[in-house]
Amino acid sequence: MVEFPRRSIEELQARYTFEPELDDIYVEGVFDQEIFIECLKGTGRSDRVVYAIDTVDVSAETLEKYGLTSGNKQRVIALARELSTLNGDLKYRCVVDRDLDQWFGRLEITPRLSWLDCCSIELYFFGSIERIVVVAGRAKIVNFNDFHASFVSVLKKLYSYRLADAEMRLNIEWMEIDRFLTARGDIISFDGDEYIKRLINKNNINAVRDKFLESIEKWDATLDGDPKTFIRGHDFVELVAWSIKAFKGVKEIASASAFERFMVLSAKDFPAILGCIA
């Protein structure tokens, strides 16, 4: 693959100053880029170009200027802030995931910075779980409602752990959850107590164990409503893949990468994704 030089922020400032009609979209990564491109195909909007943030040179100094850490999301936000000083009716958009930010009141308002309606772009496909796991994956699940409730319960617990970590600024190093999951009938059983125990030991945070558990309990009680607002995208994808395999489905497609390719392929059927940049 040919590598092209990354554009500087100064170049982009000039680009939109002299061509304000350009309807460019900047997203966090290549996967997000592919999703948006396919969505736009479904609307016939060939004039909108989608760029992954890696095509822009957002320096460490720029991130430091705004008190942002490294990472694609932070670079998109930094770009939005740098371009926000431009005047006029500009059309470009910078798009980022909500992640945990909405629960801490951190959805900042910056001109032409758009937040997804879900925690992350993967959650727009949340309504397709049965289609993927049971229909395409041929998982042996009889009562899908029971499966779905347990599926959401596991993801909610994992999200509450991350909220507690963020609240206490512990910077936890996480573990894969596969060995703590079991398929029982039509239900996913998650040994959360053992997972937390090992997580605390792994990260040497026994000194704040009680406060950590209290924070988890608080967040777990707080999370309510639309599951798409309290599920981490990566956890969602991994649990879908695990479910196909654990419930004796088609093992050849029981992988996170297979599910991701499905999402790209079917993205044009999910116009709601474009709602944040309408």
Side-chain angles (χ1 to χ4, degrees), residues 63 106-107 112 158 163-164 171 211 223 242 261-262 267 272:
L63 292 170
R106 297 191 300 227
L107 299 183
R112 295 169 291 280
L158 294 174
L163 284 169
N171 296 314
K211 288 185 178 180
L223 301 176
W242 179 89
R261 299 330 297 168
F262 164 83

Side-chain angles (χ1 to χ4, degrees), residues 173-267:
E173 182 180 344
W174 302 95
M175 302 181 298
E176 296 296 327
I177 65 168
D178 291 26
R179 57 180 168 161
F180 302 94
L181 297 172
T182 308
R184 301 183 184 279
D186 294 326
I187 293 174
I188 302 173
S189 177
F190 174 50
D191 191 348
D193 291 341
E194 183 64 22
Y195 180 81
I196 288 295
K197 175 183 176 181
R198 297 197 186 190
L199 199 67
I200 290 172
N201 290 335
K202 176 182 176 66
N203 288 273
N204 194 27
I205 54 173
N206 282 285
V208 294
R209 174 184 177 277
D210 291 344
K211 288 185 178 180
F212 183 49
L213 294 177
E214 287 175 8
S215 182
I216 289 173
E217 185 177 356
K218 179 196 72 174
W219 283 114
D220 188 61
T222 299
L223 301 176
D224 193 17
D226 187 348
K228 297 192 294 296
T229 64
F230 54 76
I231 292 176
R232 179 172 173 261
H234 178 75
D235 293 339
F236 168 59
V237 172
E238 291 292 338
L239 193 57
V240 165
W242 179 89
S243 297
I244 295 173
K245 181 179 179 180
F247 288 93
K248 304 185 187 311
V250 181
K251 63 181 181 179
E252 288 79 7
I253 65 171
S255 70
S257 59
F259 183 29
E260 287 175 348
R261 299 330 297 168
F262 164 83
M263 287 188 278
V264 172
L265 183 64
S266 60

Side-chain angles (χ1 to χ4, degrees), residues 99-127:
D99 294 317
L100 306 176
D101 292 305
Q102 61 186 326
W103 296 99
F104 294 104
R106 297 191 300 227
L107 299 183
E108 69 170 80
I109 299 176
T110 296
R112 295 169 291 280
L113 172 64
S114 298
W115 296 83
L116 293 178
D117 299 321
C118 305
C119 284
S120 61
I121 202 164
E122 293 91 342
L123 273 301
Y124 285 99
F125 300 86
F126 181 78

Side-chain angles (χ1 to χ4, degrees), residues 3-211:
E3 294 288 341
F4 293 96
R6 290 186 294 173
R7 287 173 168 163
S8 68
I9 290 176
E10 290 75 16
E11 286 179 287
L12 294 181
Q13 288 172 331
R15 175 181 173 85
Y16 300 120
T17 296
F18 294 107
E19 298 182 85
E21 74 282 358
L22 291 175
D23 207 349
D24 297 338
I25 302 169
Y26 294 90
V27 296
E28 295 182 33
V30 173
F31 175 69
D32 303 64
Q33 179 188 29
E34 291 179 319
I35 293 290
F36 270 93
I37 287 173
E38 291 302 312
C39 277
L40 290 169
K41 285 181 182 178
T43 66
R45 287 296 306 273
S46 59
D47 58 314
R48 305 185 86 170
V49 182
V50 187
Y51 298 96
I53 193 60
D54 280 347
T55 64
V56 182
D57 183 13
V58 181
S59 67
E61 291 74 19
T62 300
L63 292 170
E64 185 178 354
K65 171 182 175 181
Y66 296 110
L68 297 168
T69 58
S70 61
N72 287 351
K73 177 178 180 177
Q74 288 72 27
R75 294 207 292 270
V76 175
I77 292 173
L79 174 62
R81 291 182 182 178
E82 288 288 285
L83 296 178
S84 67
T85 58
L86 301 178
N87 297 317
D89 184 19
L90 309 182
K91 296 184 179 299
Y92 76 85
R93 289 292 184 273
C94 298
V95 182
V96 292
D97 293 345
R98 288 184 177 233
D99 294 317
L100 306 176
D101 292 305
Q102 61 186 326
W103 296 99
F104 294 104
R106 297 191 300 227
L107 299 183
E108 69 170 80
I109 299 176
T110 296
R112 295 169 291 280
L113 172 64
S114 298
W115 296 83
L116 293 178
D117 299 321
C118 305
C119 284
S120 61
I121 202 164
E122 293 91 342
L123 273 301
Y124 285 99
F125 300 86
F126 181 78
S128 298
I129 299 172
E130 185 171 13
R131 182 182 172 197
I132 299 301
V133 176
V134 179
V135 179
R138 299 181 66 184
K140 308 303 185 291
I141 297 171
V142 177
N143 190 322
F144 182 76
N145 288 336
D146 286 350
F147 166 81
H148 188 271
S150 66
F151 183 91
V152 172
S153 177
V154 171
L155 293 172
K156 178 183 176 182
K157 286 181 180 179
L158 294 174
Y159 196 80
S160 67
Y161 300 166
R162 291 184 180 275
L163 284 169
D165 170 52
E167 182 177 52
M168 296 180 65
R169 299 181 181 180
L170 298 174
N171 296 314
I172 284 176
E173 182 180 344
W174 302 95
M175 302 181 298
E176 296 296 327
I177 65 168
D178 291 26
R179 57 180 168 161
F180 302 94
L181 297 172
T182 308
R184 301 183 184 279
D186 294 326
I187 293 174
I188 302 173
S189 177
F190 174 50
D191 191 348
D193 291 341
E194 183 64 22
Y195 180 81
I196 288 295
K197 175 183 176 181
R198 297 197 186 190
L199 199 67
I200 290 172
N201 290 335
K202 176 182 176 66
N203 288 273
N204 194 27
I205 54 173
N206 282 285
V208 294
R209 174 184 177 277
D210 291 344
K211 288 185 178 180

